Amino acid sequence: MKRDALALEESLGALDRGLLKRRRATLATLSAAGEWPSVTVDGRRAVDFCSNDYLALARHPDIASAMAAAAVRHGAGSGASHLVAGHGIEHARLEEELALFTGRARALLFSTGYMANLAVVGALAGGGEQVLLDRLCHASLIDAALLCRARFKRFAHADAAAAERALARGDGTAALIATDGVFSMDGDLAPLAELARLSRAHDCWLVVDDAHGLGVLGPTGRGSLEECGLDEKAVPVLVGTLGKAFGTFGAFVAGAADVIELLLQKARPYAYTTALPQPIAAATRQALRIAAREPWRRERVLSLARRFSQAAQQLGVPLMASTTPIQPVLLGSTARVLRAQEELLNAGFWVVAIRPPTVASGSSRLRVTLSAGHTEDQVDGLVEALGRIVAQLPP
Ligand SMILES: *Cc1c(COP(=O)(O)O)cnc(C)c1O
């Protein structure tokens, strides 16, 4: 872009004309954090139905207390990267607990899931090798492949046979196949067992980013892999994030000891950034404990998702096929989705419009997410409002 005011104005104006301009709403908790999911959105009262706080842990008082106590003890900042002086006792313990939780030899903490994905793809496929990605995988996996100059191909969404054809069209080899476990904007699951078979048959890494499955899916909340009955042999590299079901912040990669050692030695997004603050690690440890001892949270969010999905379908709300707490309402155009967002807010519900480039053109949607913190009445109220609003939208 040219350095002049006109070029900037033109670029921003184009977003505006396409109804693609983003606007941040400022959310405030009511008198106490514990009142979430009731919030104010730019001063208007509403129930939050678009956070990723599936287990309702982000505002849990015991987690906040663990964070506060660790801040008093260790300070707010870690002061350096993990490889210098920033790796503290809370990080070390959290890594051990995450390895145990995922049933893998080792886990390595990252500041964000975005960085964890950059690290994994860069370390395992950084030599210009071939990388295969699901067409709808998270933007951070795409950016990871771009950044490390991998030759990457995207295969049709959730289609292992398409992945196999993509492999065959190349020289039959790839360094890595990567996919979300649960797709973040769609809520459906990847065909993990088939991708596991394919990756083993072709000797390539399979990386599963389970940002939205961990803590929620599987008989004990171990995520998409547990849901599909897959172990470390089937899926050697697991990426998890801590800012969603676990309610805090940060991310990790779990896998065999040598895989983790390679990341620690070589991944630039690991080495060249300040370690995440220890209070966040301490808070996450507390969140893991609460999630383990309160399985009702997982059961509840899934049962609310079923309640929402059944009732919304009965009212003719255009839901996408999903059995997870991510329940998108497919509305198509940016105009329709923005109108629905506004009317829902008028009715007291905050569900943000998801538009291109986050999703494909013509597939704008309201990404409804359920949480263990919602009440049945709130869910029923949302369904009723959606039914009424969607029925009155212009075509
Ligand atoms: C949110 C998300 C990420 C990024 O994680 P952050 O910790 O928020 O950076 C990565 N992958 C998927 C699938 C996600 O949904």
Side-chain angles (χ1 to χ4, degrees):
M1 186 187 301
K2 272 193 13 219
R3 179 180 168 178
D4 70 28
L6 218 65
L8 276 174
E9 208 181 291
E10 178 47 37
S11 179
L12 291 171
L15 289 178
D16 222 2
R17 287 191 296 280
L19 301 178
L20 293 171
K21 200 159 180 186
R22 269 40 174 179
R23 231 198 105 261
R24 296 175 304 172
T26 302
L27 268 69
T29 42
L30 301 182
S31 55
E35 290 180 57
W36 187 88
S38 292
V39 294
T40 63
V41 179
D42 293 331
R44 297 156 75 184
R45 231 180 124 148
V47 181
D48 176 359
F49 268 106
C50 52
S51 288
N52 301 309
D53 189 11
Y54 305 121
L55 302 182
L57 293 175
R59 284 94 177 161
H60 195 293
D62 294 352
I63 296 174
S65 299
M67 188 163 179
V72 170
R73 174 124 192 236
H74 304 291
S78 52
S81 68
H82 285 280
L83 294 177
V84 180
H87 190 66
I89 190 78
E90 294 291 343
H91 300 126
R93 291 197 175 131
L94 175 56
E95 286 183 345
E96 285 164 17
E97 289 162 11
L98 287 169
L100 215 61
F101 176 70
T102 57
R104 279 141 198 271
R106 272 182 89 181
L108 191 68
L109 273 179
F110 284 84
S111 294
T112 68
Y114 196 109
M115 294 164 78
N117 280 335
L118 296 186
V120 166
V121 178
L124 297 177
E129 289 141 292
Q130 178 161 244
V131 167
L132 299 183
L133 304 177
D134 185 287
R135 180 163 294 288
L136 297 186
C137 74
H138 194 260
S140 54
L141 284 169
I142 298 167
D143 292 359
L146 288 170
L147 183 68
C148 75
R149 300 184 191 89
R151 288 176 294 128
F152 79 96
K153 287 194 183 133
R154 295 164 79 181
F155 57 86
H157 175 54
D159 186 345
E164 185 151 30
R165 287 194 298 275
L167 253 174
R169 274 200 306 278
D171 53 6
T173 68
L176 183 153
I177 301 176
T179 181
D180 295 12
V182 174
F183 289 88
S184 56
M185 296 299 135
D186 302 77
D188 58 338
L189 271 154
L192 293 174
E194 289 93 327
L195 291 175
R197 222 173 296 122
L198 182 65
S199 65
R200 283 182 82 173
H202 290 263
D203 274 333
C204 57
W205 295 104
L206 176 59
V207 176
V208 174
D209 171 353
D210 205 21
H212 298 277
L214 280 171
V216 176
L217 299 184
T220 65
R222 262 67 174 173
S224 308
L225 304 189
E226 190 186 32
E227 183 82 19
C228 299
L230 298 171
D231 61 8
E232 179 176 336
K233 272 212 213 75
V235 180
V237 187
L238 171 64
V239 178
T241 65
L242 303 168
K244 286 160 183 160
F246 297 117
T248 60
F249 188 78
F252 68 91
V253 180
D258 277 353
V259 171
I260 299 304
E261 189 61 25
L262 183 83
L263 292 176
L264 191 155
Q265 296 299 330
K266 288 199 147 179
R268 296 165 68 88
Y270 188 71
Y272 301 115
T273 197
T274 301
L276 120 149
Q278 288 205 74
I280 294 180
T284 307
R285 296 180 63 207
Q286 183 66 27
L288 285 171
R289 282 194 286 272
I290 295 173
R293 83 172 176 242
E294 298 184 1
W296 65 264
R297 292 177 182 273
R298 201 169 64 242
E299 289 151 17
R300 181 166 172 78
V301 67
L302 290 172
S303 99
L304 290 176
R306 277 192 300 275
R307 183 186 185 95
F308 172 83
S309 156
Q310 280 162 10
Q313 271 169 36
Q314 269 170 18
L315 288 187
V317 174
L319 288 189
M320 297 177 66
S322 161
T323 55
T324 68
I326 301 171
Q327 292 285 328
V329 178
L330 190 60
L331 295 177
S333 74
T334 51
R336 294 181 89 218
V337 79
L338 287 173
R339 171 88 168 262
Q341 172 188 299
E342 183 58 28
E343 298 207 355
L344 271 181
L345 183 55
N346 290 339
F349 300 99
W350 179 234
V351 188
V352 89
I354 306 287
R355 292 167 286 165
T358 307
V359 293
S361 176
S363 74
S364 290
R365 65 199 67 175
L366 292 170
R367 177 179 177 271
V368 171
T369 50
L370 284 303
S371 164
H374 289 124
T375 64
E376 278 82 1
D377 281 353
Q378 287 168 336
V379 172
D380 296 349
L382 172 66
V383 171
E384 185 277 319
L386 264 174
R388 180 167 45 76
I389 289 164
V390 168
Q392 288 167 3
L393 281 179

